[in-house]
């Protein structure tokens, strides 16, 4: 996977289970040396271009488990099979990668392609969530900075009523504010990445930096569109694309609400809301 010879997608989200992961209903039933998988995933990034997916399935029905997060397993399943149908989803942005709905119709997966122990999949999944949040936060920073750079340049170049629009504080201050917010988010991202690399607990830091960076990036992109006036709406200036890309970071891999929920529950010790 690391050297790019094997392409692996990530299949967790379903039509009726996004933030509520334990509600997934894609089933894997053991049959001899194989699992038989049936169900439907949505939003699987690059599924049509990947050989395999790391697939979250239910191996024990919800009604039979003590905790809702029990009975879930991770399989390394084939995507390029007649038992798998893949349909691209039309979307707002992120057109560099295809997002797919994927239907599994009795796909057979060798039991040797079970990751770790059966029923422990949710725990393995959690291990990957912090780095994913830190990574997406870093991505958001890049988009925010690109948008801000374009906005600043346009504010210097665009002349209205005989002067560059950037002399107006109503243009300059929001851009300065976005610069400050992006910089603060960057420090939080670096702090989270440093902790994760050092093997320290990073849940608080990963959620916090994802939340800060996603908001800072979207705000910067929105201000870049505003600074460009009507041209902000034209594809030619790219800022509408940054706006669409930055919007995604507030939704995925987890919505902003879920990042706040983590901080409220795990850091501030407030009563649990999600997964009650
Ligand atoms: C471009 C893109 C790529 C993606 N790639 C992948 C991928 O490769 N693999 C994969 O498995 N998934 C992928 N996803 C899915 C993504 O992880 C989910 O969309 C995300 O987890 C949210 O789930 P949902 O859409 O079902 O939202 P829902 O769970 O339906 O929630 C809807 C909204 O309600 C809010 N909400 C719910 N409960 C509460 C509450 N108690 N209080 C306040 N707010 C609440 C949520 O925060 C959210 O904003 C991708 C999504 C997108 C858009």
């Amino acid at each position: 996977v690391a050297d790019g010879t094997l392409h692996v997608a990530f299949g967790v989200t379903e039509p009726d289970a996004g933030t509520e992961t334990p509600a997934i209903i894609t089933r894997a039933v053991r049959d001899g040396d194989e699992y038989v998988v049936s169900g439907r995933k949505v939003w699987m990034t690059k599924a049509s271009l990947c050989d395999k997916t790391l697939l979250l399935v239910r191996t024990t029905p919800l009604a039979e488990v003590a905790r809702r997060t029990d009975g879930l397993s991770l399989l390394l399943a084939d995507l390029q099979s007649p038992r798998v149908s893949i349909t691209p989803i039309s979307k707002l942005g992120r057109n560099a990668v295809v997002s797919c709905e994927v239907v599994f119709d009795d796909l057979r997966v060798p039991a040797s392609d079970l990751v770790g122990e059966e029923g422990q999949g949710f725990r393995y999944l959690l291990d990957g969530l912090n780095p994913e949040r830190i990574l997406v936060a870093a991505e958001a920073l890049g988009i925010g900075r690109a948008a801000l750079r374009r906005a600043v340049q346009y504010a210097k170049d665009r002349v209205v009523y005989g002067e560059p629009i950037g002399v107006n504080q109503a243009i300059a201050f929001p851009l300065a504010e976005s610069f400050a917010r992006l910089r603060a988010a960057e420090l939080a991202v670096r702090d989270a990445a440093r902790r994760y690399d050092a093997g320290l607990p990073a849940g608080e830091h990963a959620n916090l930096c994802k939340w800060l960076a996603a908001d800072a990036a979207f705000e910067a992109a929105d201000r870049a569109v505003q600074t460009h006036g009507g041209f902000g709406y034209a594809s030619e200036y790219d800022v509408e694309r940054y706006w669409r890309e930055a919007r995604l970071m507030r939704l995925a891999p987890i919505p902003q609400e879920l990042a706040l929920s983590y901080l409220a529950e795990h850091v501030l010790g407030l009563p649990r809301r999600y997964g009650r």
Side-chain angles (χ1 to χ4, degrees):
V1 173
D3 76 9
T5 41
L6 184 70
H7 290 242
V8 180
F10 192 42
V12 176
T13 309
E14 297 184 2
D16 293 320
T19 53
E20 191 184 350
T21 306
I24 67 153
I25 53 172
T26 293
R27 274 288 272 145
V29 177
R30 186 76 186 247
D31 179 24
D33 288 342
E34 293 174 318
Y35 285 97
V36 182
V37 177
S38 52
R40 184 184 300 261
K41 296 288 178 181
V42 283
W43 288 118
M44 205 191 282
T45 300
K46 288 179 77 181
S48 52
L49 302 169
C50 286
D51 313 288
K52 302 265 186 187
T53 172
L54 197 58
L55 188 69
L56 190 72
V57 292
R58 201 160 253 303
T59 35
T60 310
L62 197 52
E64 294 169 25
V65 292
R67 284 181 305 177
R68 298 184 80 222
T69 48
D70 290 343
L72 298 169
S73 302
L74 276 177
L75 296 175
L76 189 64
D78 280 335
L79 280 173
Q80 307 309 326
S81 154
R83 294 264 158 213
V84 179
S85 54
I86 302 177
T87 314
I89 299 171
S90 167
K91 57 189 175 178
L92 179 69
R94 190 42 62 104
N95 291 314
V97 291
V98 63
S99 304
C100 307
E101 181 181 54
V102 182
V103 177
F104 298 89
D105 180 14
D106 289 340
L107 175 75
R108 291 188 164 265
V109 178
S112 55
D113 287 347
L114 170 74
V115 176
E117 275 177 49
E118 186 180 298
Q120 298 298 312
F122 189 76
R123 270 137 220 116
Y124 304 143
L125 192 68
L126 290 182
D127 281 344
L129 297 184
N130 286 336
E132 187 184 31
R133 284 166 204 185
I134 300 167
L135 179 81
V136 167
E139 198 182 321
L141 280 182
I143 297 170
R145 281 195 204 134
L148 184 62
R149 200 164 48 235
R150 299 293 280 267
V152 167
Q153 194 58 52
Y154 197 79
K156 290 178 183 169
D157 295 344
R158 178 72 171 174
V159 174
V160 178
Y161 289 114
E163 54 187 10
I165 54 172
V167 302
N168 299 298
Q169 291 179 343
I171 296 277
F173 284 8
L175 298 184
E177 198 179 281
S178 274
F179 172 75
R181 292 201 172 154
L182 285 166
R183 190 75 183 97
E186 181 190 341
L187 296 177
V189 173
R190 286 188 184 280
D191 184 38
R194 185 187 53 77
R195 289 185 66 89
Y196 181 76
D197 281 349
L200 297 168
E204 169 187 334
H205 310 80
N207 282 283
L208 183 145
C209 80
K210 186 277 180 190
W211 184 81
L212 284 174
D215 265 10
F218 182 71
E219 191 182 65
D222 195 55
R223 286 171 174 176
V225 170
Q226 196 68 18
T227 303
H228 281 71
F231 291 109
Y233 217 63
S235 313
E236 187 188 340
Y237 287 85
D238 289 323
V239 288
E240 60 84 30
R241 182 165 59 84
Y242 298 147
W243 185 87
R244 287 185 285 120
E245 295 298 311
R247 188 64 187 83
L248 175 62
M249 268 74 237
R250 297 170 93 196
L251 291 167
I254 54 153
Q256 295 295 77
E257 293 84 359
L258 207 69
L260 291 180
S261 167
Y262 182 94
L263 297 177
E265 185 191 323
H266 295 280
V267 183
L268 302 181
L270 287 163
R272 193 175 166 87
R273 170 66 206 169
Y274 282 90
R276 276 185 305 180

